[in-house]
């Protein structure tokens, strides 16, 4: 089987030639690359899924407060808020879970870089939101009202859930091969934008969409994050990163919601990735993780930085 591909088009040709499903191909490819049996890949993927679940629960069980004070338990505040505009359980969960996982990262907790630490809440948050809403063992009533969530911290996981994580990872591979996953190179479109595409593809897979439609949803999500600056306040992966994880998890869900309505991306996935690369190439250095432009040089951000620098002396 061919494991090298440089585009979604090439990947589709392989899937068609080999008559193999996307998640199965992703699994075999990992086994080939690492030179390990497929069962070992399953175990490793499950181990990482468990880490995402633990971080999700940790951030919702206790408000996460970072040393800088910039992270203040937003996941707990949002998850428990009585007043809300968004009533859809899957949307609310995706936002809360993405916040939760990324707040754990901001506080130095254990997460899975997905594809990076700054964007770690988006794809796992969206996947787990779908799972807890549509596939959990909780009573439908509980699933709608959102309070307790099953722990599910112990592998092995359901093959469908594992498949969603594998498909998501393969989407990241496609973007990494033609563009970049680094905010320092391509801005936040490369980190959170890519994570949104990874989430959309996984959600499409969970919804049993065709592979073409999964990547159309990924294209829709990625298109709407093109040009996103990386301008973290005081150089810390907190502002805008933490809340951006929630926004982009919801962006990915909307991309799949649109796809379920029959709406497709006019620009194919491969071309959107190349556009992302092109935009990243012309981005000024000030908005490529140098914390010397954009939000990072607003008066409030500069005052925060000065205060943090003084307290560190
Ligand atoms: S703003 Fe920069 S540091 Fe923050 S998540 Fe995006 S790419 Fe990462």
């Amino acid at each position: 089987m061919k494991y090298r591909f440089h585009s979604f088009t090439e990947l589709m040709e392989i899937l068609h030639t080999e008559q193999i499903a996307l998640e199965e191909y992703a699994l075999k490819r990992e086994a080939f690359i690492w030179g390990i049996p497929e069962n070992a890949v399953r175990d490793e993927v499950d181990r990482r899924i468990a880490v995402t679940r633990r971080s999700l629960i940790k951030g919702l069980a206790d408000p996460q407060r970072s040393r800088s004070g910039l992270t203040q338990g937003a996941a707990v505040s949002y998850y428990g808020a009585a007043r809300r505009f968004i009533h859809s359980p899957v949307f609310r969960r995706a936002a809360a879970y993405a916040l939760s996982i990324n707040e754990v990262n901001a506080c130095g907790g254990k997460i899975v870089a997905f594809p990076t630490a700054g964007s770690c809440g988006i794809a796992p948050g969206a996947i787990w939101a779908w799972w807890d809403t549509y596939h959990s063992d909780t009573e439908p009533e509980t699933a709608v009202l959102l309070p307790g969530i099953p722990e599910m911290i112990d592998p092995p996981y359901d093959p469908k859930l594992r498949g969603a994580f594998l498909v998501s990872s393969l989407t990241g591979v496609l973007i990494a091969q033609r563009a970049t996953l680094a905010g320092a190179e391509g801005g936040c479109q490369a980190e959170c934008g890519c994570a949104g595409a990874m989430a959309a593809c996984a959600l499409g897979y969970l919804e049993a969409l065709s592979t073409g439609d999964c990547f159309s949803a990924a294209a829709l999500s990625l298109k709407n994050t093109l040009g996103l600056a990386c301008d973290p306040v005081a150089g810390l992966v907190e502002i805008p990163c933490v809340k951006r994880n929630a926004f982009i998890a919801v962006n990915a869900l909307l991309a799949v919601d649109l796809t379920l309505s029959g709406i497709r991306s006019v620009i194919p996935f491969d071309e959107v990735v190349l556009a992302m690369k092109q935009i990243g190439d012309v981005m000024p250095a000030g908005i490529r993780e140098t914390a010397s432009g954009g939000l990072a040089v607003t008066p409030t951000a500069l005052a925060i930085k000065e205060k943090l620098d003084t307290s560190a002396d």
Side-chain angles (χ1 to χ4, degrees):
M1 178 130 47
K2 199 172 149 195
Y3 290 109
R4 281 186 190 280
F5 51 83
H6 298 96
S7 64
F8 171 62
T9 309
E10 276 184 42
L11 173 63
M12 278 297 273
E13 281 169 13
I14 298 171
L15 298 180
H16 182 72
T17 305
E18 301 290 342
Q19 287 294 297
I20 188 170
L22 187 62
E23 75 281 13
E24 203 185 332
Y25 177 77
L27 179 79
K28 288 185 181 299
R29 183 180 173 279
E30 290 295 322
F32 173 78
I33 286 174
W34 296 105
I36 56 176
E38 288 175 22
N39 267 343
V41 174
R42 287 190 191 94
D43 290 348
E44 180 57 24
V45 172
D46 279 9
R47 189 184 70 76
R48 296 183 194 202
I49 294 174
V51 173
T52 69
R53 190 64 176 183
R54 282 177 204 278
S55 55
L56 184 166
I57 289 172
K58 183 180 168 81
L60 286 175
D62 292 306
Q64 300 293 296
R65 301 186 201 285
S66 62
R67 288 180 65 184
S68 68
L70 300 179
T71 296
Q72 291 282 350
V76 171
S77 302
Y78 179 68
Y79 197 58
R83 183 175 164 82
R84 55 190 61 154
F85 280 166
I86 298 176
H87 290 273
S88 155
V90 70
F91 271 78
R92 279 186 58 80
R93 283 194 166 114
Y97 291 4
L99 278 174
S100 174
I101 296 171
N102 209 257
E103 285 191 323
V104 169
N105 175 62
C107 296
K110 188 172 177 182
I111 52 90
V112 175
F114 212 102
T116 63
S119 58
C120 67
I122 296 168
I127 293 170
W128 278 118
W130 188 96
W131 197 260
D132 287 342
T133 306
Y134 299 119
H135 205 280
S136 82
D137 293 332
T138 48
E139 293 297 313
E141 196 69 355
T142 312
V144 170
L145 293 175
L146 288 177
I149 52 172
E151 282 213 333
M152 288 191 67
I153 51 176
D154 295 318
Y157 290 109
D158 188 297
K160 187 171 178 181
L161 179 67
R162 188 185 303 121
F165 277 86
L166 280 162
V167 162
S168 187
S169 301
L170 196 62
T171 311
V173 168
L174 270 168
I175 296 173
Q177 283 182 343
R178 300 198 103 183
T180 176
L181 303 179
E185 211 179 337
C188 197
Q189 56 169 1
E191 290 200 16
C192 287
C194 172
M198 292 165 70
C201 198
L203 290 167
Y205 163 81
L206 288 167
E207 285 288 334
L209 295 178
S210 69
T211 301
D213 284 349
C214 287
F215 279 87
S216 177
L220 285 175
S221 182
L222 190 58
K223 274 193 310 192
N224 286 288
T225 52
L226 290 181
L228 203 56
C230 171
D231 47 3
V233 170
L236 299 170
V237 188
E238 296 187 73
I239 300 173
C241 324
V242 171
K243 297 181 193 84
R244 181 168 290 166
N245 271 249
F247 279 108
I248 297 190
V250 168
N251 186 66
L253 269 169
L254 184 55
V256 179
D257 223 24
L258 292 172
T259 307
L260 287 167
S261 318
I263 296 165
R264 301 288 177 273
S265 176
V266 172
I267 311 295
F269 179 80
D270 283 338
E271 293 181 31
V272 178
V273 173
L274 289 179
M276 188 192 107
K277 164 93 170 78
Q278 190 203 9
I279 292 167
D281 287 346
V282 296
M283 259 187 185
I287 51 171
R288 283 193 281 118
E289 213 167 335
T290 54
S292 60
L295 281 178
V297 293
T298 56
T300 301
L302 292 173
I304 289 170
K305 183 175 182 327
E306 193 179 343
K307 195 171 158 199
L308 291 173
D309 287 348
T310 308
S311 63
D313 286 341

